[in-house]
Amino acid sequence: MTPTIDDELWAAIGDPTRRRLLDLLLADGSGTATSLSGHLPVTRQAVAKHLGVLERAELVVPRKDGREVRYVVNEAQFSRAVEQLASVGAAWDARLRRIKTIAESIQALRSKIE
């Protein structure tokens, strides 16, 4: 059975800068566009745009903190992404096992013919 994949979710995670933002948020618990930009080779404006993509994919949640907006990882959506990744990995493992079986069968037939 092919797992159901959320393309918007994986498009958001597919960008290296957004993955790094998620890493930083998971490590620190929260962050603002300004604080996060200090850890990346991109501008605060670029970080804000990336956070917007992560927010639309529901991977982060903005929280007002005075005049700042702090972002935290949406644990439920992040868990969903991890589950999808595990499911995709299991499906590919099954495909690779089938390919190996087919290749071994072909090799066995060649050995009998020769």
Side-chain angles (χ1 to χ4, degrees):
M1 180 173 111
T2 304
T4 302
I5 301 301
D6 182 336
D7 289 331
E8 183 178 1
L9 175 67
W10 287 100
I13 293 174
D15 182 88
T17 300
R18 290 191 284 270
R19 285 195 307 273
R20 182 71 181 122
L21 284 170
L22 287 169
D23 288 343
L24 290 167
L25 290 171
L26 287 167
D28 296 340
S30 70
T32 65
T34 301
S35 68
L36 294 166
S37 68
H39 300 280
L40 298 166
V42 296
T43 65
R44 190 201 74 72
Q45 291 81 6
V47 168
K49 287 181 182 183
H50 284 293
L51 287 168
V53 172
L54 292 171
E55 183 181 352
R56 284 190 297 281
E58 299 178 13
L59 284 162
V60 298
V61 178
R63 296 196 174 141
K64 255 328 217 176
D65 184 16
R67 292 180 8 184
E68 294 184 316
V69 177
R70 298 192 74 71
Y71 290 85
V72 296
V73 172
N74 177 346
E75 292 179 18
Q77 184 73 327
F78 191 76
S79 293
R80 186 170 163 254
V82 170
E83 288 171 10
Q84 284 185 21
L85 184 58
S87 179
V88 167
W92 273 103
D93 286 345
R95 288 180 186 119
L96 292 172
R97 282 192 300 276
R98 286 193 298 274
I99 290 168
K100 181 181 178 199
T101 300
I102 291 167
E104 288 171 346
S105 296
I106 291 169
Q107 185 62 38
L109 284 173
R110 283 187 179 164
S111 295
K112 286 182 182 181
I113 294 172
E114 295 173 351

